[in-house]
Amino acid sequence: MRKIVGIYASPREDGNSRVICDAVLDGAMGLSTNMIEVFHLNKLNAARGCQNCERCKDLGRCVLMDDISLVLESIRDADSLVVSIPVFFGHAAAQYRILEDRMYSFLDRGLSSTIPSGKKVAIVVTYDRNDGSAASVMNDLSEFYRHLGFEIVGNILYCCYGRRDTASTDNEVLSLGRSVGHRL
Ligand SMILES: Cc1cc2nc3c(=O)[nH]c(=O)nc-3n(C[C@H](O)[C@H](O)[C@H](O)COP(=O)(O)O)c2cc1C
C-alpha cells in the first residue's frame, strides 16, 4: 500500500485548486488501495513560520511542535504528494509558503535533501491572470521539489479567468487530474 498525501492550500474548501487536487487523488485511488491523507493548510490552528534556528541541522527534524510539524512528518513518510496552491499576488498563497519554509528542515547544512528519495509529486497551481507569475510559481515549485529528490509526475497550471467554480465543470482538467493521479 502506498501512502499519498494531499495538501490543499486554498482557504476555499470548494475552490478550483481543491477540485483539481481531488481529481488527482481520485486518479491515485482508482488503481489500488493506496492510503490517502489530506491536509487543509488553512484549517491548521497553529502554523508558525521557520525560525531559522538551525536546530534541524542537528536534530534532523524541525524543532517546532505545531500543526505544520504533523504535515512535515507525513510528507517524510509519504510515497507520493499532491500540492494544490492558488497564486496570491504573484506568489504561492501564504498558507503554503509557511509549510515550504518549514521544509528547510528537510535539508542538511550543505542544503542537500535528507528525506528518502524516490517520492513522487504532482503540482497544481491555479490563477486568474495570464501575466506570467503563475508559470513562475510553478517553475519555482518544480525546482524546489526536484531539489528535495521528488520525481515530478505532473504539473497542472490552471487559469480560472475569475470564475470561482470553473474547474468543477471543466472535464478536460478533471480528466487530466485523474490521469496525473494514476502516475502517483
Ligand atoms: C488575495 C488574492 C490575490 C490574488 N492574486 C492573484 C495574482 O497575483 N495572480 C493571479 O493570476 N490570480 C490571483 N488571484 C486569483 C486566484 O489565484 C484564483 O482565483 C485561484 O483560482 C484561487 O484558487 P481557489 O479557487 O482554489 O481558491 C488572487 C486571489 C486572491 C484572493
Side-chain angles (χ1 to χ4, degrees):
M1 189 180 6
R2 292 171 57 78
K3 176 175 168 183
I4 298 172
V5 172
I7 297 191
Y8 306 102
S10 174
R12 294 201 312 128
E13 286 198 39
D14 56 352
N16 293 306
S17 55
R18 164 74 187 268
V19 167
I20 300 169
C21 191
D22 283 348
V24 177
L25 292 173
D26 229 40
M29 274 313 277
L31 293 186
S32 64
T33 53
N34 289 331
M35 187 190 103
I36 295 199
E37 185 173 21
V38 300
F39 292 96
H40 297 261
L41 297 181
N42 194 58
K43 286 189 183 167
L44 302 184
N45 288 319
R48 295 179 68 196
C50 174
Q51 304 295 297
N52 195 9
C53 67
E54 299 271 309
R55 296 278 308 282
C56 56
K57 307 305 167 232
D58 298 321
L59 294 174
R61 60 165 180 80
C62 182
V63 74
L64 295 178
M65 296 297 275
D66 62 3
D67 293 342
I68 292 282
S69 320
L70 304 175
V71 187
L72 293 172
E73 282 316 301
S74 190
I75 294 173
R76 188 184 284 280
D77 286 349
D79 296 294
S80 296
L81 182 64
V82 188
V83 288
S84 193
I85 305 162
V87 172
F88 283 0
F89 294 123
H91 301 278
Q95 287 88 339
Y96 173 79
R97 287 288 305 116
I98 288 181
L99 172 64
E100 190 177 79
D101 284 356
R102 293 278 295 279
M103 286 197 241
Y104 182 52
S105 61
F106 290 163
L107 302 175
D108 66 17
R109 284 192 198 282
L111 301 182
S112 296
S113 178
T114 61
I115 58 171
S117 58
K119 297 181 194 294
K120 298 177 178 182
V121 64
I123 306 171
V124 178
V125 170
T126 61
Y127 66 104
D128 272 351
R129 288 187 293 280
N130 260 323
D131 60 1
S133 60
S136 160
V137 168
M138 178 63 91
N139 196 46
D140 291 349
L141 288 165
S142 301
E143 279 303 309
F144 181 74
Y145 283 101
R146 252 186 234 113
H147 183 77
L148 285 178
F150 281 77
E151 176 195 348
I152 299 172
V153 299
N155 300 84
I156 303 179
L157 190 56
Y158 186 74
C159 186
C160 315
Y161 299 105
R163 275 193 53 195
R164 291 168 77 79
D165 61 351
T166 179
S168 60
T169 53
D170 185 334
N171 288 328
E172 199 177 321
V173 76
L174 295 176
S175 148
L176 173 64
R178 282 190 291 270
S179 75
V180 166
H182 289 165
R183 295 181 222 138
L184 285 172

